Amino acid sequence: MQNLTTLGEFIIKNQQDFPYAKGELTRLFNAITLASKVMNSQINKAGLVDDLMGKVGTENVQGEEQKKLDVYANKVFINALKARNEVCGIASEEEEETIIFENEAGKNGKYIVLIDPIDGSSNIEVNVSIGTVFAIYRRVSPIGTAAVLEDFLQKGRAQVAAGYVIFGSSTMLVFTTGNGVNGFTYDPSVGVFYLSHTNIQIPEKGTIYSVNEGNYAYFSESMKSFIDYCKFVDTSTNRPYTGRYIGSMIADLHRNFLKGGIYMYPDSIKSPNGKLRLLYECNPMAFLIEQAGGKATNGKQAILDIKPREIHERTPFYGGSSKMVSQLEMMLTNTL
Ligand code: AHM
Ligand code: MG
């Protein structure tokens, strides 16, 4: 067997990357990896177990119908994080209000976690990749008190760590603590994540664009012109590009991390602020993208510089290879 580095060993070796007290990062990531392992085993048998397939019959705060796996994953991640005593509050796509841990341990917790427990829910039933995405912040309110809204409404730039788990043909955890991006592949036979992708760098240029083109008619003229640009024949710039859209942001962006490309969820007549949520979808992915040398924007400013106003706010999102995102930004501003 090769000399493989486990996630645990990697975190211990890189504790100094996390400029806070020793052991906190380890405990936070222990919670996330434990929950991910539980989810991995459940997702793998989702087609067999009635309790995990289908809809719950309720809607989340965004008016989207909740799948049983959304609700289950939400509980698994919240329970795992609560048990580690590092976290004073959690915001989740599946919870209307923030969850504040008001017990002694919670009040002393230094971190806030924002999470989308299952991203790409529409893909659960058709056995296509889904994921979990999370952002971690230091609280701004005093330790020893209950967390407040301000702790959650920090700019993405203030993140101390972020990551995603992709449940694909293999399960991977990809994360950053602000010192590059590393990927770990799960070996279910041993129950361990191994370092498999060191210092991931998004290629500066790419040839893949991904967007829900079914919404073309609803997009702005400038957005339409960028899509037309992607399809235009110009061999000197490798166009036409290849179109790929999985419908799971994490999976589409994971491909960009490894191969280059641009992922877009624009604003449109149908969704004036786009669809994706700033705090627990766009911010963690933008932090990872910038850490991997790419770019993430809402078309006007870097995602990480947006000052959030509310927990579930949405934003247009464009992220991936820096040259492709810059080209898009130029076309969005020129034709406005
Ligand atoms: P979800 O968190 O409810 O699954 O919504 C987010 C997902 C993204 O992963 C994906 O890119 C997008 O919604 C797909 O939406 P659409 O079907 O409108 O293209
Ligand atoms: Mg989502």
Side-chain angles (χ1 to χ4, degrees):
M1 187 172 163
Q2 296 164 259
N3 194 10
L4 295 172
T5 303
T6 67
L7 173 63
E9 286 164 346
F10 180 89
I11 289 175
I12 290 166
K13 241 192 266 166
N14 293 279
Q15 284 270 14
Q16 71 276 8
D17 288 355
F18 197 64
Y20 306 106
K22 273 202 185 128
E24 292 174 357
L25 176 67
T26 316
R27 282 190 290 279
L28 273 170
F29 274 92
N30 276 347
I32 288 165
T33 48
L34 174 64
S36 305
K37 288 178 193 177
V38 172
M39 285 316 300
N40 182 69
S41 85
Q42 296 303 314
I43 288 166
N44 282 344
K45 56 186 181 203
L48 298 172
V49 183
D50 272 351
D51 284 357
L52 294 175
M53 277 301 251
K55 302 161 193 161
V56 188
T58 52
E59 288 185 346
N60 66 13
V61 60
Q62 6 260 328
E64 296 158 348
E65 94 202 340
Q66 289 181 300
K67 303 276 196 298
K68 289 178 183 168
L69 210 58
D70 283 323
V71 174
Y72 181 79
N74 189 46
K75 275 195 206 136
V76 169
F77 278 96
I78 290 171
N79 290 342
L81 286 162
K82 190 175 177 186
R84 289 302 189 289
N85 293 340
E86 299 294 345
V87 174
C88 56
I90 299 179
S92 160
E93 177 174 333
E94 304 306 331
E95 302 278 342
E96 181 159 6
E97 305 289 341
T98 55
I99 300 170
I100 311 279
F101 299 137
E102 306 237 16
N103 58 349
E104 221 30 50
K107 284 184 187 163
N108 286 319
K110 296 186 192 130
Y111 297 93
I112 293 284
V113 176
L114 296 111
I115 190 161
D116 180 358
I118 295 284
D119 179 64
S121 308
S122 65
N123 280 326
I124 296 169
E125 272 142 64
V126 290
N127 209 350
V128 172
S129 299
I130 51 178
T132 297
V133 53
F134 59 91
I136 302 175
Y137 294 80
R138 291 276 286 188
R139 69 189 299 173
V140 288
S141 60
I143 294 167
T145 62
V148 294
L149 190 59
E150 212 194 335
D151 292 317
F152 295 89
L153 298 182
Q154 300 184 55
K155 284 187 186 172
R157 261 307 146 224
Q159 286 170 95
V160 292
Y164 62 83
V165 184
I166 175 166
F167 302 99
S169 38
S170 57
T171 294
M172 278 187 74
L173 167 67
V174 176
F175 75 89
T176 182
T177 51
N179 193 21
V181 177
N182 292 285
F184 299 79
T185 302
Y186 185 57
D187 180 344
S189 63
V190 214
V192 172
F193 281 93
Y194 290 106
L195 178 62
S196 52
H197 297 66
T198 311
N199 192 21
I200 297 172
Q201 289 288 313
I202 300 181
E204 201 182 25
K205 293 181 194 164
T207 54
I208 300 174
Y209 75 103
S210 66
V211 63
N212 185 342
E213 240 178 300
N215 291 326
Y216 186 89
Y218 304 122
F219 292 150
S220 66
E221 290 310 310
S222 47
M223 188 63 224
K224 284 180 187 165
S225 59
F226 182 74
I227 294 175
D228 298 344
Y229 167 90
C230 292
K231 298 182 189 180
F232 189 78
V233 181
D234 175 4
T235 46
S236 70
T237 50
N238 286 320
R239 285 178 292 148
Y241 293 153
T242 296
R244 290 278 185 276
Y245 189 69
I246 297 169
S248 282
M249 170 199 65
I250 293 174
D252 278 311
L253 280 169
H254 183 69
R255 189 190 51 245
N256 289 353
F257 276 100
L258 303 182
K259 295 193 164 180
I262 184 168
Y263 166 87
M264 301 172 275
Y265 209 107
D267 51 319
S268 67
I269 301 171
K270 234 170 67 177
S271 341
N273 298 314
K275 176 184 184 189
L276 300 178
R277 274 57 50 125
L278 173 62
L279 270 72
Y280 41 80
E281 292 177 323
C282 303
N283 269 338
M285 295 315 287
F287 188 26
L288 288 154
I289 289 170
E290 286 200 7
Q291 282 291 315
K295 221 171 157 180
T297 173
N298 66 358
K300 296 187 180 106
Q301 67 181 135
I303 291 290
L304 297 180
D305 290 329
I306 301 173
K307 173 70 186 129
R309 285 165 286 114
E310 53 190 31
I311 297 296
H312 297 290
E313 82 184 65
R314 297 173 194 266
T315 176
F317 180 85
Y318 312 96
S321 294
S322 59
K323 289 243 156 97
M324 293 177 98
V325 177
S326 297
Q327 174 72 35
L328 167 74
E329 275 181 320
M330 197 183 73
M331 294 180 72
L332 289 180
T333 6
N334 280 351
T335 39
L336 276 178

